[in-house]
């Protein structure tokens, strides 16, 4: 089982963005209802950097969503004033702060908020020098984050480490090092949780094909005990995989990762899609937009 | 204990592509190893150099580049003959730069007429390159294909935006296409897949993953070419197993460094030597990255690179 954080209530969305700005609850509540019904475990409320009156917006958004859904909320903004307003407005279910990075100023201000509001926190492995370059740098950054959070009194089990996924069309090696790190996290900090923004992997791919990459990638992460994922809450197939309803596909992908390659001729359409996508994500086949049909 | 040189083992091979008209074809590609790794595999066809000819008199060239062609620079056919007869060109690359709507805006018919004249004047393989304007190239290259029916020209750039129209015409008149993409290995692979889906035969595809001049992003282009070769030879990625063309001269000769006079930039040294060396060095770099066809301009730069290819091929 993978905990699913639905990413759709996002200021970048063409319908939700304007609704947030105009404080029009209708479209947002409609979406929250659908996501809840689809089986999301958390609702991410992404208001972006929210430089102007971010606190007001987050406060309003939390209350608006709360009217129609009891799901725990993931508060998603880089504006820590807005973050705090959201934490204050949230009166039920332990919230998730998305996110606190390893950049010193963000750690310094973000960590005390986690303890004050008894939230869970996403530890984003983004440091002073930007993104980690390989699995070892991710490991070092994870240790650093957990240590600093523990020092401030945050239990490791409240920390959700995000190793940062990057698009397959940029570099397959980064995808592999993210997976390698996931295989190490259990040894580094057994109580720590993990979270990955799946849609990053398919950034740049044709819109209609993105779910194929997101789904197979999640299955690959599941091999290393993925705790949660930030997902497209409208992708019902992805949600059903997360809920453990497609064990045969999970097994297929994990077998391929173990080097047990099936005969492609023996696979049905759906299995073939997973097979081809796994090979692309493992860097065995170079990505192109036609990866499913070649 | 004896020392053994570690060797890469290759599972893929670059396709051999015959260029030019029947009886006069030149074959490129065929490598079964990284560029010049002759201790690991074979390079049956050494890289070739195509000499540039322009459809109309260039207006922004430095004196160094004009001087070898001053007597023929207004006549593309004579220019091409001089490249072959005097400078021993193995191929000609006709640049239809004058068709650019922001330049002289020569019509498709005019471009086709010039192409035909040049093609009649020389019998070496001929590359014909448009102005990189997707719509204009479609018109121009279709007309070019038609008037040179059956001569197996190498036409381009064929891009994502016009591959259907140009690809279909090229199939009809039996020409080879240059599949061009902007410094991105995934896009390069994708365009080759699309051309395949369109039924452009595999032995009619050359790829151009873009080239910058020395000092102008060459390292990015190098890296993409290198990765294309790695995918082709090690990962057996058959949609990347095509010879690579590098259209480098026009990049080199528009840089500031080949144009600024010594009086203004004494540290850059002799202006003539400078341009020739920047062109030769750019060519040398893309050779090491995997280029099979170099589009070059200055005869002295060309002879430097030819000499280097000869040395590398004979292991000297």
């Amino acid at each position: 089982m993978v905990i699913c954080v639905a990413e759709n209530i996002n200021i970048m969305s063409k319908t939700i963005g304007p609704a947030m700005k105009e404080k029009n609850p209708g479209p947002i509540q409609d979406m929250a209802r659908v996501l809840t019904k689809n089986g999301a475990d958390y609702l991410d409320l992404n208001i972006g950097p929210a430089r102007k009156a971010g606190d007001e917006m987050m406060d309003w958004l939390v209350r608006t969503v709360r009217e129609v859904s009891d799901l725990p909320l993931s508060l998603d903004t880089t504006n820590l004033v807005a973050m705090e307003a959201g934490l204050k407005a949230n009166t039920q279910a332990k919230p998730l702060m998305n996110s606190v990075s390893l950049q010193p100023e963000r750690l310094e201000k973000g960590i005390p908020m986690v303890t004050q509001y008894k939230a869970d926190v996403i530890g984003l492995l983004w440091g002073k020098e930007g993104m980690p370059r390989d699995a070892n740098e991710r490991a070092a950054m994870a240790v650093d984050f957990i240590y600093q959070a523990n020092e401030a009194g945050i239990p490791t089990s409240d920390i959700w480490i995000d190793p940062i996924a990057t698009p397959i069309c940029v570099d397959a090696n980064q995808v592999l090092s993210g997976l390698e790190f996931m295989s190490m996290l259990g040894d580094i900090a057994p109580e720590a949780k993990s979270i990955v923004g799946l849609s990053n992997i398919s950034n740049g791919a044709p819109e209609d094909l993105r779910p194929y990459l997101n789904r197979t990638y999640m299955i690959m992460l599941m091999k290393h005990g993925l705790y949660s994922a930030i997902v497209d809450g409208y992708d019902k197939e992805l949600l059903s995989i997360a809920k453990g309803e497609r064990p045969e596909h999970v097994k297929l992908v994990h077998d391929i990762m173990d080097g047990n390659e099936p005969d492609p001729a023996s696979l049905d359409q759906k299995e073939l899609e997973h097979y081809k996508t796994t090979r692309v994500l493992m860097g065995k086949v170079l990505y192109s937009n036609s990866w499913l049909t070649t | 204990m004896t020392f053994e040189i570690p060797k890469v083992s290759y599972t893929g091979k670059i396709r051999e592509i015959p260029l030019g008209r029947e009886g006069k074809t030149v074959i490129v590609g065929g490598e079964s190893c990284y560029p010049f790794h002759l201790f690991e595999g074979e390079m049956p066809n050494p890289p070739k150099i195509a000499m540039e000819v322009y459809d109309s008199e260039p207006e922004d060239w430095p004196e160094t580049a004009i001087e070898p062609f001053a007597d023929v620079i207004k006549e593309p056919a004579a220019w091409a003959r001089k490249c072959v007869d005097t400078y021993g060109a193995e191929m000609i690359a006709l640049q239809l730069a004058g068709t650019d709507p922001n330049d002289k805006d020569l019509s498709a018919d005019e471009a086709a007429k010039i192409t035909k004249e040049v093609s009649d004047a020389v019998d070496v393989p001929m590359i014909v390159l448009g102005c990189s304007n997707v719509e204009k190239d479609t018109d121009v290259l279709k007309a070019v294909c038609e008037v040179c029916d059956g001569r197996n020209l190498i036409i381009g750039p064929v891009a994502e935006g016009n591959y259907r129209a140009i690809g279909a015409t090229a199939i009809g008149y039996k020409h080879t296409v240059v599949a061009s993409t902007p410094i991105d290995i995934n896009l390069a692979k994708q365009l080759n897949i699309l051309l395949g889906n369109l039924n452009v035969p595999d032995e009619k595809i050359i790829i151009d993953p873009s080239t910058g001049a020395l000092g102008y992003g060459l390292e990015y282009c190098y890296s993409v070419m290198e990765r294309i070769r790695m995918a082709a030879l090690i990962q057996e990625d058959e949609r990347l197993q095509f010879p690579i063309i590098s259209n480098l001269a026009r990049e080199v000769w528009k840089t500031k460094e080949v144009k600024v006079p010594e009086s203004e930039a004494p540290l850059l040294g002799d202006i003539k030597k400078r341009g020739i060396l920047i062109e030769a060095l750019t060519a040398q770099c893309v050779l090491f990255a995997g280029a099979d066809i170099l589009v070059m301009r200055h005869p002295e730069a060309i002879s430097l690179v030819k000499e280097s290819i000869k040395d590398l091929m004979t292991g000297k």
Side-chain angles (χ1 to χ4, degrees):
Chain A
M1 290 280 282
V2 176
I3 302 289
C4 291
V5 180
E7 68 194 353
N8 308 75
I9 302 179
N10 188 321
I11 194 152
M12 299 292 283
S13 147
K14 283 196 186 83
T15 48
I16 298 301
M20 282 187 193
K21 284 168 200 152
E22 294 156 14
K23 298 229 164 64
N24 170 16
I28 298 169
Q29 293 185 329
D30 287 348
M31 184 179 269
R33 277 193 204 97
V34 174
L35 295 171
T36 306
K37 188 168 150 281
N38 284 358
D41 300 299
Y42 276 74
L43 298 178
D44 189 71
L45 308 183
N46 185 343
I47 61 166
R51 289 198 186 81
K52 261 196 284 177
D55 49 347
E56 213 177 283
M57 186 186 280
M58 191 60 108
D59 174 83
W60 174 83
L61 189 57
V62 168
R63 291 171 198 281
T64 301
V65 172
R66 195 43 92 213
E67 284 173 19
V68 297
S69 175
D70 293 331
L71 289 180
L73 304 176
S74 157
L75 306 174
D76 191 350
T77 176
T78 45
N79 175 346
L80 285 171
V81 178
M83 180 70 81
E84 183 155 24
L87 290 166
K88 269 186 195 156
N90 180 64
T91 51
Q92 70 189 83
K94 193 177 187 183
L96 177 63
M97 279 176 66
N98 183 7
S99 57
V100 176
S101 74
L102 271 156
Q103 289 158 296
E105 77 282 3
R106 308 212 70 83
L107 264 180
E108 198 182 306
K109 289 184 186 149
I111 293 286
M113 241 179 249
V114 182
T115 39
Q116 189 183 341
Y117 294 93
K118 300 204 170 26
D120 281 343
V121 62
I122 295 181
L124 185 72
L125 301 187
W126 184 281
K128 260 186 277 189
E129 279 142 37
M131 221 189 80
R133 285 168 294 186
D134 58 23
N136 291 330
E137 283 193 8
R138 283 179 168 83
M141 288 167 90
V143 169
D144 192 13
F145 187 91
I146 293 168
Y147 175 78
Q148 300 208 44
N150 288 164
E151 283 288 285
I154 300 169
T156 305
S157 56
D158 286 356
I159 300 169
W160 304 25
I161 294 291
D162 180 350
I164 306 184
T166 53
I168 180 62
C169 63
V170 172
D171 186 6
N173 285 324
Q174 270 294 335
V175 179
L176 286 176
S177 54
L179 283 163
E180 189 190 345
F181 165 77
M182 285 296 293
S183 74
M184 297 157 70
L185 183 62
D187 295 328
I188 296 169
E191 291 161 44
K193 299 185 165 90
S194 54
I195 185 162
V196 173
L198 298 178
S199 305
N200 287 353
I201 202 82
S202 59
N203 207 339
E207 241 3 83
D208 56 325
L209 298 179
R210 294 185 65 175
Y212 295 94
L213 287 163
N214 302 347
R215 291 172 201 151
T216 306
Y217 180 50
M218 182 174 73
I219 297 178
M220 293 172 78
L221 291 162
M222 285 162 73
K223 188 169 195 297
H224 302 302
L226 180 72
Y227 176 76
S228 66
I230 303 174
V231 306
D232 172 2
Y234 287 90
D235 185 347
K236 290 189 181 167
E237 188 176 333
L238 183 101
L239 291 161
S240 81
I241 296 169
K243 293 192 186 320
E245 289 162 16
R246 305 288 164 96
E248 69 287 6
H249 294 154
V250 173
K251 181 176 183 307
L252 172 73
V253 170
H254 291 182
D255 281 349
I256 298 168
M257 291 172 77
D258 285 332
N260 301 321
E261 295 248 347
D263 173 9
S266 70
L267 303 176
D268 66 26
Q269 179 63 28
K270 185 61 62 184
E271 291 168 336
L272 205 55
E273 287 161 6
H274 281 299
Y275 168 77
K276 287 179 173 176
T277 310
T278 307
R279 286 172 55 83
V280 161
L281 290 172
M282 288 178 75
K284 291 189 175 216
V285 173
L286 186 79
Y287 174 80
S288 75
N289 287 348
S290 298
W291 90 96
L292 284 177
T293 49
T294 46
Chain B
M1 232 173 85
T2 53
F3 174 72
E4 272 193 42
I5 298 174
K7 284 186 182 178
V8 181
S9 63
Y10 303 93
T11 45
K13 185 170 176 277
I14 307 302
R15 285 177 180 282
E16 289 197 303
I17 312 278
L19 304 174
R21 63 192 83 171
E22 247 180 272
K24 295 283 179 184
T25 55
V26 168
I27 295 174
V28 293
E31 298 93 330
S32 61
C33 59
Y34 290 152
F36 307 105
H37 283 219
L38 300 174
F39 47 93
E40 292 172 341
E42 288 175 356
M43 271 181 94
N45 308 296
K48 301 288 187 293
I49 299 175
M51 283 189 81
E52 280 190 318
V53 170
Y54 278 72
D55 58 0
S56 42
E57 185 178 358
E59 281 157 7
D60 55 352
W61 288 17
E63 186 48 39
T64 314
I66 294 176
E67 190 257 317
F69 311 107
D71 52 335
V72 290
I73 207 147
K74 290 184 169 66
E75 300 162 74
W79 185 345
R81 262 199 312 276
K82 182 167 189 184
C83 288
V84 174
D85 297 345
T86 309
Y87 300 120
E90 300 165 305
M91 293 185 201
I92 292 296
L94 176 62
Q95 302 269 18
L96 298 174
T99 59
D100 190 338
N102 298 319
D103 192 343
K104 297 187 188 80
D105 201 15
L106 297 180
S107 70
D109 288 343
E110 287 170 289
K113 183 169 165 278
I114 295 167
T115 306
K116 178 77 168 34
E117 283 167 10
V118 175
S119 169
D120 287 342
V122 293
D123 57 9
V124 297
M126 191 162 122
I127 301 160
V128 183
L129 298 170
C131 62
S132 297
N133 173 310
V134 171
E135 288 87 32
K136 186 66 185 274
D137 283 353
T138 309
D139 295 342
V140 167
L141 293 175
K142 280 166 81 172
V144 163
C145 281
E146 204 180 323
V147 296
C148 292
D149 183 13
R151 292 193 183 178
N152 193 13
L153 300 178
I154 305 100
I155 57 155
V158 173
E160 205 185 344
N162 57 16
Y163 80 93
R164 282 172 191 277
I166 302 178
T169 313
I171 297 173
Y173 295 102
K174 300 187 175 59
H175 297 297
T176 300
V177 298
V178 176
S180 296
T181 43
I183 329 180
D184 183 306
I185 185 170
N186 305 109
L187 295 180
K189 178 173 176 177
Q190 177 68 8
L191 184 55
N192 296 341
I193 292 171
L194 296 174
L195 286 169
N197 294 347
L198 192 70
N199 288 327
V200 174
D202 284 346
E203 70 276 6
K204 294 283 190 190
I205 299 175
I206 302 280
I207 55 181
D208 176 6
S210 303
T211 307
L214 188 68
Y216 289 82
L218 178 58
E219 55 276 38
Y220 293 101
C221 308
Y222 184 103
S223 164
V224 167
M225 280 189 203
E226 196 180 29
R227 286 176 59 206
I228 288 175
R229 266 304 136 92
M230 289 165 87
L233 295 173
I234 306 283
Q235 293 191 312
E236 292 170 76
D237 198 317
E238 62 162 39
R239 293 325 290 169
L240 288 172
Q241 291 171 339
F242 298 98
I244 295 175
I245 184 171
S246 177
N247 191 7
L248 64 99
R250 58 171 196 175
E251 301 298 327
V252 168
W253 292 97
K254 72 181 181 201
T255 64
K256 187 184 89 189
E257 285 75 9
V258 306
K259 288 181 176 173
V260 58
E262 202 179 341
S263 54
E264 278 173 40
L267 283 176
L268 290 179
D270 179 64
I271 188 170
K272 183 178 175 197
K273 211 185 268 179
R274 199 198 301 156
I276 291 167
L277 285 177
I278 293 178
E279 183 175 17
L281 279 171
T282 303
Q284 193 72 57
C285 288
V286 295
L287 273 181
F288 288 141
D292 294 278
I293 305 171
L294 308 171
V295 176
M296 295 187 65
R297 186 172 299 173
H298 201 284
E300 287 180 47
I302 291 170
S303 44
L304 284 172
V305 176
K306 267 192 181 165
E307 205 179 316
S308 162
I309 293 174
K310 201 173 137 215
D311 288 352
L312 287 161
M313 291 305 297
T314 51
K316 275 180 193 161

